Amino acid sequence: MAYRLPTLDVPEVRPEELIPEKYRRKALNIASIPELKAVRKFTNLSHKNYSVDTTMVPLGSCTMKYNPRINEEIANIESFRCAHPLTPEEFIQGTLRVAYELKELLKKLGGFAEVSLQPAAGSQGELLGLLLILAYHRDKGNNHKTVVLIPDSAHGTNPASAAICGFHVKTVKSDKNGELDWDDFMKKLGDDVACLMITNPNTLGIFERKIKEMAYELHKRDALLYMDGANFNAIVGMAKPGDWGVDVMHFNLHKTFSTPHGGGGPGSGPVGVSEKLKPYLPVPQVEFDGKRYYLNHDIPKTVGRLLAFHGHFGVWIRALAYILTYGSEIKKVAEYAVLNARYLRHLLWGTLADPYAHVPCMHEFVLSCSPLLKKGTNAYGVAKRLLDYGFYAPTVYFPLVVREALMIEPTETENPETLRRFAEAIKTIVKEASEDSSVLNGAPHTIPVKRIKEAEANRKPIFKLKD
Ligand SMILES: *Cc1c(COP(=O)(O)O)cnc(C)c1O
């Protein structure tokens, strides 16, 4: 047998005492195979996939950085890993302390009055942030404030979250520098606006320089400023959104603070708020009274709770380990993330179209493959061909404001040599496109799964690989 079950360490119960006859399985049909065969099977399978442990994953907006192994060691400490969410507080003081210290560090890094760790992902953080804004306006009798302004470069989850909360979404244009178009913003900033939902740096990798002026104009009308913090990696330790006047922001711990994600891996989207939104935070909040850590359920104006339990502790502990490892040096993360993006963009200068070439990028940049259209191929071809060169593909066709977009985010954990190899691969592919675009259109050629129907693969996934 390839796996042995551990010996039972709880009193044995007979299934017939617990499960009615009709629900009980008749026979357990598990194949019995030798351990070596199982090890080879799964080791070989793991090599057929791409991950940050095997190659650079330059997926723009996703911040696919290396996850230091010390995070895994700490997340695997048994008393953390095995803590049950219903354990009485006095037995899990250490676990609560982890949550509390992470919360305090996020407050400091973001410049916020309070943080809720509860949301299970960035998108759920958006939902919470907008629910808080809704609660604020209801509480103040601002029932006419039903509009959320969202730039046209925003991530699709932004308008989706606003719509789920019952807001009307109005799109604000980007200007020629890739920033929010000021005139269009002012034109749409009526008394019906509940908030502006902006990403900074935005999904073009461009810093929104007028962020403080936006906060000023919004606050003057008792509207609020939501910042999507998915790109916090570009500014962590360098700037605090709370200081800019941001009222609410979600962090993506799995992006900025290194937990491996994608492919359905766990996320965590804590939400930081200014004083204005503190009264509406979800319950429970983890608190410390000077002696003990406890879960505070007593928040009279709370919006309620988002999860059955407390949140994704495994992601929290990795984030805490990551932040503490850097300590006061954490701004190096942002510095190197931006430096790497700028270096890679420099290496690719003139290779494809760069629609915002006149504007410096932050931690990522967006190129356009539209020059390849007349050669009979596109961004999809470039992305798929990159797999043959041993790289995971960048994000494609997003943000929507750039045609044939390739959105590239190297993160700070790649070294210059890898960036040079990646740039060479892109240059080779662009040359191939000129010579024979069918090489791109038929790619990938070297990996077992070729072009999949993405919508179908999402809805009806088939997990069996052909032998
Ligand atoms: C990733 C991302 C989100 C959504 O976060 P999830 O954790 O994937 O739900 C929202 N906005 C931007 C800009 C993102 O990159």
Side-chain angles (χ1 to χ4, degrees):
M1 282 286 275
Y3 183 73
R4 263 166 251 98
L5 293 169
T7 45
L8 201 62
D9 62 355
V10 290
E12 187 165 354
V13 280
R14 287 179 303 148
E16 50 272 31
E17 290 166 14
L18 291 174
I19 307 167
E21 166 74 30
K22 64 176 171 180
Y23 296 124
R24 258 179 274 143
R25 191 175 7 223
K26 299 294 171 289
L28 190 57
N29 191 14
I30 299 180
S32 175
I33 55 167
E35 186 172 306
L36 175 61
K37 203 171 170 193
V39 167
R40 284 191 181 151
K41 167 90 179 162
F42 288 105
T43 306
N44 284 325
L45 265 183
S46 77
H47 284 229
K48 293 195 160 101
N49 211 342
Y50 289 79
S51 77
V52 180
D53 288 349
T54 56
T55 187
M56 172 173 159
V57 179
L59 266 180
S61 214
C62 299
T63 315
M64 304 297 276
K65 62 171 74 176
Y66 173 66
N67 169 49
R69 285 303 175 266
I70 188 163
N71 291 357
E72 295 308 303
E73 274 175 44
I74 296 170
N76 258 314
I77 293 173
E78 198 183 353
S79 47
F80 288 137
R81 180 164 42 88
C82 298
H84 191 282
L86 293 178
T87 312
E89 284 164 13
E90 57 266 38
F91 299 133
I92 48 160
Q93 284 292 300
T95 305
L96 292 176
R97 182 174 165 190
V98 164
Y100 181 80
E101 292 198 354
L102 175 63
K103 182 182 89 160
E104 291 302 303
L105 284 167
L106 293 178
K107 271 161 70 174
K108 246 191 226 163
L109 289 170
F112 293 113
E114 195 46 275
V115 163
S116 163
L117 297 174
Q118 213 173 89
S123 42
Q124 204 185 28
E126 293 175 25
L127 178 65
L128 172 59
L130 289 162
L131 288 172
L132 296 173
I133 289 173
L134 195 62
Y136 170 85
H137 286 310
R138 286 218 173 122
D139 203 20
K140 295 198 77 185
N142 291 339
N143 294 331
H144 56 293
K145 293 197 179 291
T146 56
V147 170
V148 174
L149 298 180
I150 302 181
D152 56 7
S153 59
H155 195 263
T157 50
N158 291 185
S161 302
I164 284 177
C165 289
F167 287 114
H168 301 294
V169 174
K170 271 195 196 160
T171 305
V172 184
K173 281 190 293 203
S174 304
D175 66 14
K176 61 179 192 322
N177 296 325
E179 292 177 71
L180 188 80
D181 186 302
W182 188 258
D183 294 337
D184 198 36
F185 168 60
M186 289 306 287
K187 203 171 80 200
K188 288 173 179 158
L189 182 54
D191 200 33
D192 56 351
V193 170
C195 71
L196 166 70
M197 198 173 187
I198 198 163
T199 310
N200 202 15
N202 64 31
T203 63
L204 294 164
I206 292 169
F207 191 77
E208 297 279 357
R209 289 169 298 176
K210 286 211 168 117
I211 187 88
K212 280 187 173 172
E213 287 88 333
M214 292 172 205
Y216 176 78
E217 293 296 339
L218 288 156
H219 292 157
K220 220 160 72 178
R221 296 161 175 81
D222 202 16
L224 300 178
L225 178 55
Y226 186 111
M227 182 173 136
D228 178 329
N231 293 337
F232 196 59
N233 206 47
I235 56 170
V236 58
M238 306 281 287
K240 300 180 180 187
D243 293 350
W244 300 336
V246 169
D247 294 292
V248 50
M249 180 188 103
H250 75 261
F251 297 84
N252 297 63
L253 295 189
H254 44 295
K255 293 177 181 173
T256 310
F257 303 116
S258 81
T259 293
H261 60 289
S268 179
V271 162
V273 295
S274 63
E275 287 293 343
K276 280 184 196 167
L277 294 177
K278 213 172 141 180
Y280 314 102
L281 284 172
V283 282
Q285 276 289 98
V286 58
E287 306 286 3
F288 181 55
D289 67 8
K291 282 207 198 79
R292 53 182 276 281
Y293 299 90
Y294 65 102
L295 294 167
N296 177 13
H297 290 264
D298 184 22
I299 301 177
K301 292 186 178 175
T302 179
V303 294
R305 62 187 305 157
L306 289 150
L307 291 180
F309 289 112
H310 310 310
H312 288 169
F313 184 76
V315 185
W316 299 353
I317 195 161
R318 286 178 182 87
L320 181 64
Y322 186 82
I323 296 169
L324 291 177
T325 305
Y326 276 97
S328 58
E329 304 269 275
I330 193 125
K331 74 171 197 229
K332 290 228 159 77
V333 169
E335 287 174 348
Y336 279 88
V338 174
L339 183 63
N340 270 356
R342 289 185 180 178
Y343 179 54
L344 184 55
R345 191 186 192 196
H346 165 79
L347 293 174
L348 288 170
W349 214 249
T351 309
L352 288 160
D354 189 337
Y356 298 95
H358 59 292
V359 183
C361 71
M362 295 291 283
H363 65 302
E364 66 191 357
F365 57 98
V366 181
L367 300 180
S368 166
C369 294
S370 56
L372 301 185
L373 289 175
K374 57 179 183 294
K375 310 213 159 109
T377 189
N378 53 20
Y380 202 63
V382 175
K384 290 294 180 189
R385 186 66 176 139
L386 264 172
L387 301 175
D388 289 332
Y389 286 96
F391 289 101
Y392 198 82
T395 299
V396 289
Y397 297 100
F398 176 74
L400 306 178
V401 289
V402 173
R403 211 166 149 227
E404 295 294 329
L406 275 191
M407 184 195 207
I408 302 171
E409 179 181 10
T411 83
E412 73 281 6
T413 52
E414 296 304 331
N415 65 22
E417 190 212 323
T418 309
L419 301 180
R420 286 194 288 271
R421 279 199 298 113
F422 178 78
E424 280 315 309
I426 296 256
K427 285 182 184 171
T428 308
I429 291 168
V430 170
K431 214 161 127 227
E432 285 175 340
S434 303
E435 288 154 9
D436 176 9
S437 60
S438 71
V439 178
L440 276 69
N441 295 337
H445 302 279
T446 55
I447 58 173
V449 178
K450 305 286 191 256
R451 292 195 172 201
I452 52 172
K453 292 176 194 146
E454 280 159 6
E456 210 172 308
N458 198 352
R459 300 287 180 274
K460 294 184 223 153
I462 300 165
F463 293 112
K464 253 173 80 181
L465 255 195
K466 276 185 256 136
D467 285 328

